[in-house]
Amino acid sequence: MTKIVFDTSYTVQAGDTLKSIAEKEFRNRDCWREIRQQNGTRFISPDSFELQAGQRVYLPIKIGERLHPTSGYGQGDDFLSPDELSPLSPLLSKVYQAFIRYSPSNLIVDQKILKPLIEHFLQGKGGIYQHEVDSPLSRLVEDSQPFKQVWYQIIPQVQQQLQLQANVHNIDVQALKVSIPHFAFKPGKADLTLFATIGGIQGADLLLKRFTLNTDHDYTLEVFWVIYDDFGVGKDDRYTPSLYAAWNLQHRGEAQAFVNEIILHKTITGTLSFSPEKARVYQSLQH
Protein backbone atom coordinates (compact mmCIF):
# COMPACT_ATOMS: atom_id res chain seq x y z
CA MET A 1 0.00 0.00 0.00
CA THR A 2 1.30 3.46 -0.90
CA LYS A 3 1.83 5.96 1.89
CA ILE A 4 3.14 8.97 0.00
CA VAL A 5 2.90 9.90 -3.63
CA PHE A 6 4.45 13.08 -4.95
CA ASP A 7 3.93 13.43 -8.68
CA THR A 8 5.13 16.41 -10.70
CA SER A 9 2.79 15.63 -13.57
CA TYR A 10 -0.11 17.90 -14.46
CA THR A 11 -3.20 16.49 -16.16
CA VAL A 12 -4.27 18.75 -19.00
CA GLN A 13 -7.82 20.09 -18.80
CA ALA A 14 -9.99 21.09 -21.74
CA GLY A 15 -8.95 24.55 -22.93
CA ASP A 16 -5.51 24.44 -21.28
CA THR A 17 -2.50 25.88 -23.08
CA LEU A 18 1.13 25.74 -22.05
CA LYS A 19 0.98 29.40 -21.06
CA SER A 20 -2.20 28.98 -19.03
CA ILE A 21 -0.67 26.00 -17.20
CA ALA A 22 2.44 28.06 -16.45
CA GLU A 23 0.27 30.91 -15.18
CA LYS A 24 -1.75 28.54 -12.99
CA GLU A 25 1.20 26.64 -11.54
CA PHE A 26 3.99 29.25 -11.48
CA ARG A 27 2.09 32.55 -11.80
CA ASN A 28 4.38 33.29 -14.73
CA ARG A 29 3.27 32.55 -18.29
CA ASP A 30 6.87 32.62 -19.55
CA CYS A 31 7.63 29.47 -17.53
CA TRP A 32 5.91 27.36 -20.21
CA ARG A 33 9.42 26.78 -21.60
CA GLU A 34 10.30 24.62 -18.59
CA ILE A 35 7.31 22.26 -18.87
CA ARG A 36 8.36 18.80 -20.04
CA GLN A 37 6.70 16.10 -22.09
CA GLN A 38 6.48 12.41 -21.18
CA ASN A 39 9.79 11.75 -22.96
CA GLY A 40 11.50 14.54 -21.02
CA THR A 41 11.74 17.04 -23.87
CA ARG A 42 10.57 20.63 -23.79
CA PHE A 43 7.83 21.97 -26.01
CA ILE A 44 9.25 23.89 -28.97
CA SER A 45 6.82 26.80 -28.80
CA PRO A 46 3.65 27.56 -26.82
CA ASP A 47 1.49 27.12 -29.91
CA SER A 48 3.31 24.35 -31.78
CA PHE A 49 1.70 21.51 -29.86
CA GLU A 50 -2.03 21.05 -29.36
CA LEU A 51 -2.62 19.77 -25.85
CA GLN A 52 -5.23 17.08 -25.36
CA ALA A 53 -7.50 16.84 -22.32
CA GLY A 54 -6.21 14.05 -20.09
CA GLN A 55 -2.64 14.35 -21.38
CA ARG A 56 0.09 14.53 -18.75
CA VAL A 57 2.86 17.08 -18.78
CA TYR A 58 5.59 17.46 -16.19
CA LEU A 59 6.32 20.56 -14.12
CA PRO A 60 9.97 21.34 -13.36
CA ILE A 61 11.07 20.75 -9.78
CA LYS A 62 14.85 20.91 -9.69
CA ILE A 63 16.58 18.85 -7.00
CA GLY A 64 20.09 19.12 -8.42
CA GLU A 65 22.03 21.18 -10.90
CA ARG A 66 25.42 21.91 -12.33
CA LEU A 67 25.42 25.43 -13.69
CA HIS A 68 26.64 26.04 -17.21
CA PRO A 69 28.88 29.01 -18.06
CA THR A 70 27.02 32.30 -18.28
CA SER A 71 28.88 33.40 -21.41
CA GLY A 72 29.48 31.55 -24.63
CA TYR A 73 26.85 28.90 -23.94
CA GLY A 74 25.53 27.72 -27.28
CA GLN A 75 28.10 29.83 -29.14
CA GLY A 76 31.48 28.21 -28.58
CA ASP A 77 33.74 29.39 -25.79
CA ASP A 78 35.40 32.20 -27.77
CA PHE A 79 32.45 33.55 -29.73
CA LEU A 80 33.22 36.37 -32.13
CA SER A 81 30.83 38.44 -34.16
CA PRO A 82 30.96 37.56 -37.88
CA ASP A 83 31.82 41.22 -38.46
CA GLU A 84 35.17 40.70 -36.74
CA LEU A 85 36.43 38.28 -39.40
CA SER A 86 36.68 38.54 -43.15
CA PRO A 87 34.03 36.55 -45.06
CA LEU A 88 34.87 33.26 -46.74
CA SER A 89 34.73 32.83 -50.49
CA PRO A 90 31.90 30.53 -51.68
CA LEU A 91 34.48 27.96 -52.79
CA LEU A 92 36.33 27.93 -49.46
CA SER A 93 33.03 27.70 -47.61
CA LYS A 94 32.13 24.56 -49.59
CA VAL A 95 35.58 23.10 -48.97
CA TYR A 96 35.22 23.66 -45.23
CA GLN A 97 31.77 22.07 -45.23
CA ALA A 98 33.19 19.04 -47.06
CA PHE A 99 35.97 18.75 -44.46
CA ILE A 100 33.32 18.55 -41.75
CA ARG A 101 30.91 16.20 -43.50
CA TYR A 102 33.51 13.77 -44.85
CA SER A 103 36.22 13.85 -42.21
CA PRO A 104 37.90 10.42 -41.89
CA SER A 105 37.29 10.56 -38.14
CA ASN A 106 33.54 10.49 -38.82
CA LEU A 107 33.91 6.92 -40.04
CA ILE A 108 34.82 5.60 -36.60
CA VAL A 109 31.87 7.12 -34.73
CA ASP A 110 28.15 6.40 -34.87
CA GLN A 111 26.94 8.29 -37.94
CA LYS A 112 23.28 8.00 -36.94
CA ILE A 113 24.12 10.18 -33.95
CA LEU A 114 26.77 12.52 -35.35
CA LYS A 115 25.43 13.29 -38.84
CA PRO A 116 22.17 15.04 -37.74
CA LEU A 117 24.19 17.21 -35.35
CA ILE A 118 26.65 18.21 -38.07
CA GLU A 119 23.79 19.15 -40.40
CA HIS A 120 22.06 21.15 -37.65
CA PHE A 121 25.34 23.02 -37.11
CA LEU A 122 26.01 23.66 -40.82
CA GLN A 123 22.45 24.79 -41.49
CA GLY A 124 22.82 27.44 -38.80
CA LYS A 125 19.70 26.41 -36.89
CA GLY A 126 21.15 27.16 -33.45
CA GLY A 127 18.86 26.90 -30.44
CA ILE A 128 18.42 23.62 -28.58
CA TYR A 129 18.72 20.14 -30.10
CA GLN A 130 16.85 17.74 -27.84
CA HIS A 131 17.64 14.05 -27.40
CA GLU A 132 14.65 12.47 -25.70
CA VAL A 133 14.66 9.63 -23.19
CA ASP A 134 15.83 6.40 -24.87
CA SER A 135 17.17 8.22 -27.93
CA PRO A 136 20.41 6.74 -29.34
CA LEU A 137 22.61 9.42 -27.75
CA SER A 138 20.78 9.23 -24.41
CA ARG A 139 21.23 5.46 -24.28
CA LEU A 140 24.90 5.78 -25.18
CA VAL A 141 25.44 8.28 -22.36
CA GLU A 142 23.54 6.12 -19.88
CA ASP A 143 25.64 3.05 -20.71
CA SER A 144 28.96 4.90 -20.50
CA GLN A 145 31.42 4.48 -17.65
CA PRO A 146 31.88 8.24 -16.97
CA PHE A 147 28.13 8.69 -16.51
CA LYS A 148 27.78 5.60 -14.31
CA GLN A 149 30.59 6.81 -12.05
CA VAL A 150 28.80 10.13 -11.49
CA TRP A 151 25.39 8.48 -11.06
CA TYR A 152 26.82 6.20 -8.36
CA GLN A 153 27.95 9.35 -6.51
CA ILE A 154 24.48 10.87 -6.72
CA ILE A 155 22.51 7.84 -5.47
CA PRO A 156 23.93 7.94 -1.90
CA GLN A 157 23.37 11.72 -1.73
CA VAL A 158 19.65 11.19 -2.34
CA GLN A 159 19.44 8.19 -0.02
CA GLN A 160 21.21 9.98 2.83
CA GLN A 161 19.10 13.13 2.52
CA LEU A 162 15.86 11.14 2.48
CA GLN A 163 16.95 9.19 5.57
CA LEU A 164 17.78 12.45 7.37
CA GLN A 165 14.27 13.66 6.55
CA ALA A 166 12.84 10.37 7.82
CA ASN A 167 14.76 10.82 11.07
CA VAL A 168 12.73 13.95 11.80
CA HIS A 169 9.55 12.58 10.18
CA ASN A 170 9.36 15.22 7.50
CA ILE A 171 9.62 13.73 4.02
CA ASP A 172 9.94 16.63 1.59
CA VAL A 173 11.41 15.52 -1.73
CA GLN A 174 11.26 19.07 -3.07
CA ALA A 175 13.89 20.01 -0.48
CA LEU A 176 16.49 17.59 -1.85
CA LYS A 177 19.70 19.33 -2.96
CA VAL A 178 21.97 17.14 -5.03
CA SER A 179 25.48 18.10 -6.11
CA ILE A 180 26.27 16.97 -9.67
CA PRO A 181 29.99 16.44 -10.34
CA HIS A 182 31.52 17.43 -13.65
CA PHE A 183 32.27 14.62 -16.06
CA ALA A 184 33.63 14.30 -19.57
CA PHE A 185 34.05 11.72 -22.30
CA LYS A 186 37.60 11.06 -23.44
CA PRO A 187 38.71 9.76 -26.83
CA GLY A 188 38.95 6.12 -25.81
CA LYS A 189 37.48 3.32 -27.87
CA ALA A 190 34.31 2.97 -25.80
CA ASP A 191 33.54 6.70 -25.68
CA LEU A 192 34.64 7.88 -29.12
CA THR A 193 31.16 8.88 -30.30
CA LEU A 194 30.49 10.61 -26.98
CA PHE A 195 33.81 12.43 -27.22
CA ALA A 196 32.96 13.63 -30.74
CA THR A 197 29.41 14.73 -29.91
CA ILE A 198 29.75 15.93 -26.30
CA GLY A 199 33.28 15.92 -24.90
CA GLY A 200 32.86 17.64 -21.54
CA ILE A 201 29.41 18.63 -20.34
CA GLN A 202 28.57 22.31 -19.81
CA GLY A 203 25.73 21.82 -17.34
CA ALA A 204 23.17 19.41 -15.91
CA ASP A 205 19.85 19.36 -14.06
CA LEU A 206 18.09 16.72 -12.00
CA LEU A 207 14.34 17.25 -12.31
CA LEU A 208 12.01 15.41 -9.96
CA LYS A 209 9.39 13.36 -11.78
CA ARG A 210 7.73 11.15 -9.17
CA PHE A 211 8.28 9.88 -5.63
CA THR A 212 6.41 7.05 -3.89
CA LEU A 213 6.78 5.64 -0.39
CA ASN A 214 4.82 2.57 0.69
CA THR A 215 3.77 1.36 4.13
CA ASP A 216 6.87 -0.85 4.34
CA HIS A 217 8.93 2.35 3.97
CA ASP A 218 10.24 1.31 0.54
CA TYR A 219 10.56 4.24 -1.84
CA THR A 220 11.08 4.91 -5.51
CA LEU A 221 12.27 8.28 -6.79
CA GLU A 222 12.17 9.03 -10.53
CA VAL A 223 14.05 11.91 -12.14
CA PHE A 224 14.74 13.40 -15.51
CA TRP A 225 18.50 13.85 -15.76
CA VAL A 226 19.16 16.61 -18.30
CA ILE A 227 22.68 17.13 -19.65
CA TYR A 228 23.58 20.35 -21.50
CA ASP A 229 26.41 20.44 -23.98
CA ASP A 230 27.65 23.31 -26.12
CA PHE A 231 28.00 21.93 -29.65
CA GLY A 232 30.39 24.55 -30.91
CA VAL A 233 34.09 24.95 -31.64
CA GLY A 234 36.38 27.10 -29.51
CA LYS A 235 39.90 28.18 -30.39
CA ASP A 236 41.43 25.36 -28.35
CA ASP A 237 39.47 22.77 -30.34
CA ARG A 238 41.15 23.43 -33.70
CA TYR A 239 43.39 20.35 -33.73
CA THR A 240 42.02 18.62 -36.86
CA PRO A 241 41.21 20.00 -40.34
CA SER A 242 37.49 19.43 -39.81
CA LEU A 243 37.47 21.27 -36.47
CA TYR A 244 39.50 24.12 -37.96
CA ALA A 245 36.94 24.31 -40.76
CA ALA A 246 34.06 24.25 -38.27
CA TRP A 247 35.61 27.09 -36.25
CA ASN A 248 35.96 29.24 -39.36
CA LEU A 249 32.39 28.61 -40.52
CA GLN A 250 30.97 29.19 -37.04
CA HIS A 251 32.87 32.38 -36.36
CA ARG A 252 32.00 33.82 -39.73
CA GLY A 253 28.30 33.22 -39.25
CA GLU A 254 27.99 30.47 -41.88
CA ALA A 255 27.30 27.82 -39.24
CA GLN A 256 25.91 28.19 -35.75
CA ALA A 257 26.73 26.52 -32.47
CA PHE A 258 23.82 25.15 -30.48
CA VAL A 259 22.97 23.45 -27.21
CA ASN A 260 22.70 19.68 -27.09
CA GLU A 261 20.14 18.69 -24.46
CA ILE A 262 20.40 14.99 -23.58
CA ILE A 263 17.63 13.59 -21.39
CA LEU A 264 17.75 10.42 -19.31
CA HIS A 265 15.11 8.86 -17.09
CA LYS A 266 16.64 7.44 -13.91
CA THR A 267 15.26 5.77 -10.80
CA ILE A 268 16.57 5.52 -7.24
CA THR A 269 15.12 3.02 -4.78
CA GLY A 270 15.69 2.37 -1.10
CA THR A 271 14.12 1.74 2.28
CA LEU A 272 13.75 4.35 5.01
CA SER A 273 14.10 3.64 8.70
CA PHE A 274 11.59 5.27 11.07
CA SER A 275 11.92 5.07 14.85
CA PRO A 276 8.93 3.07 16.18
CA GLU A 277 8.18 5.49 19.00
CA LYS A 278 7.88 8.45 16.63
CA ALA A 279 6.42 6.82 13.54
CA ARG A 280 3.30 8.48 12.26
CA VAL A 281 0.86 7.82 9.48
CA TYR A 282 1.57 10.02 6.49
CA GLN A 283 -1.29 11.39 4.51
CA SER A 284 -1.17 10.57 0.81
CA LEU A 285 0.03 13.54 -1.18
CA GLN A 286 -1.05 13.97 -4.76
CA HIS A 287 0.30 16.94 -6.73
Side-chain angles (χ1 to χ4, degrees):
M1 181 178 176
T2 300
K3 238 181 187 181
I4 290 180
V5 175
F6 185 88
D7 194 337
T8 64
S9 68
Y10 171 91
T11 302
V12 175
Q13 308 298 312
D16 274 345
T17 66
L18 290 173
K19 286 189 174 182
S20 70
I21 294 171
E23 177 69 31
K24 186 186 305 182
E25 296 295 324
F26 310 118
R27 292 180 171 79
N28 184 346
R29 294 172 68 84
D30 289 338
C31 286
W32 69 265
R33 295 177 176 83
E34 304 305 318
I35 297 173
R36 299 268 170 178
Q37 302 183 64
Q38 179 71 32
N39 62 9
T41 60
R42 307 172 193 255
F43 292 89
I44 301 301
S45 76
D47 306 314
S48 66
F49 194 94
E50 185 176 343
L51 299 177
Q52 303 294 325
Q55 175 185 351
R56 284 193 170 190
V57 297
Y58 288 85
L59 308 175
I61 295 180
K62 190 181 297 185
I63 61 171
E65 66 180 338
R66 182 174 186 85
L67 296 178
H68 57 69
T70 56
S71 62
Y73 193 51
Q75 298 177 322
D77 59 14
D78 61 338
F79 178 73
L80 300 173
S81 165
D83 296 335
E84 298 179 57
L85 297 170
S86 59
L88 297 173
S89 69
L91 176 59
L92 187 54
S93 177
K94 289 181 179 180
V95 169
Y96 280 160
Q97 290 182 42
F99 272 145
I100 297 168
R101 287 191 173 104
Y102 307 114
S103 169
S105 61
N106 292 353
L107 300 176
I108 54 177
V109 301
D110 190 331
Q111 285 299 293
K112 291 181 180 179
I113 292 175
L114 182 60
K115 186 176 179 179
L117 301 179
I118 288 176
E119 292 306 317
H120 190 93
F121 173 77
L122 291 176
Q123 292 169 21
K125 293 182 177 180
I128 297 174
Y129 192 110
Q130 300 188 96
H131 303 265
E132 65 185 43
V133 170
D134 287 332
S135 66
L137 185 55
S138 296
R139 289 198 301 268
L140 199 61
V141 169
E142 190 168 5
D143 292 338
S144 71
Q145 198 59 36
F147 173 78
K148 289 179 180 179
Q149 289 173 349
V150 170
W151 180 238
Y152 294 148
Q153 294 178 54
I154 286 175
I155 291 173
Q157 289 187 58
V158 171
Q159 292 173 331
Q160 290 166 14
Q161 289 182 43
L162 285 172
Q163 184 56 56
L164 287 173
Q165 291 181 0
N167 291 345
V168 295
H169 302 280
N170 182 27
I171 302 299
D172 181 5
V173 288
Q174 296 183 80
L176 294 173
K177 297 296 180 186
V178 178
S179 174
I180 303 176
H182 175 73
F183 63 98
F185 302 101
K186 298 181 180 180
K189 182 178 179 181
D191 294 327
L192 197 53
T193 297
L194 293 173
F195 173 72
T197 55
I198 300 175
I201 69 167
Q202 269 73 50
D205 285 329
L206 275 183
L207 304 178
L208 178 63
K209 183 180 180 185
R210 181 178 170 85
F211 175 80
T212 59
L213 175 68
N214 65 23
T215 51
D216 293 325
H217 304 158
D218 301 321
Y219 65 83
T220 300
L221 183 141
E222 298 176 58
V223 296
F224 287 127
W225 177 309
V226 187
I227 295 170
Y228 306 101
D229 169 61
D230 188 349
F231 195 94
V233 183
K235 60 184 178 181
D236 294 333
D237 299 324
R238 298 175 293 179
Y239 47 82
T240 69
S242 61
L243 289 172
Y244 179 84
W247 186 91
N248 275 280
L249 290 171
Q250 174 185 314
H251 288 76
R252 285 172 168 82
E254 297 191 30
Q256 188 173 347
F258 59 91
V259 176
N260 253 337
E261 191 171 285
I262 303 112
I263 305 151
L264 314 177
H265 176 248
K266 300 297 291 180
T267 300
I268 297 174
T269 59
T271 302
L272 298 177
S273 175
F274 292 89
S275 56
E277 68 276 10
K278 293 184 178 180
R280 70 183 187 184
V281 177
Y282 286 96
Q283 298 296 321
S284 293
L285 301 176
Q286 182 69 44
H287 184 78

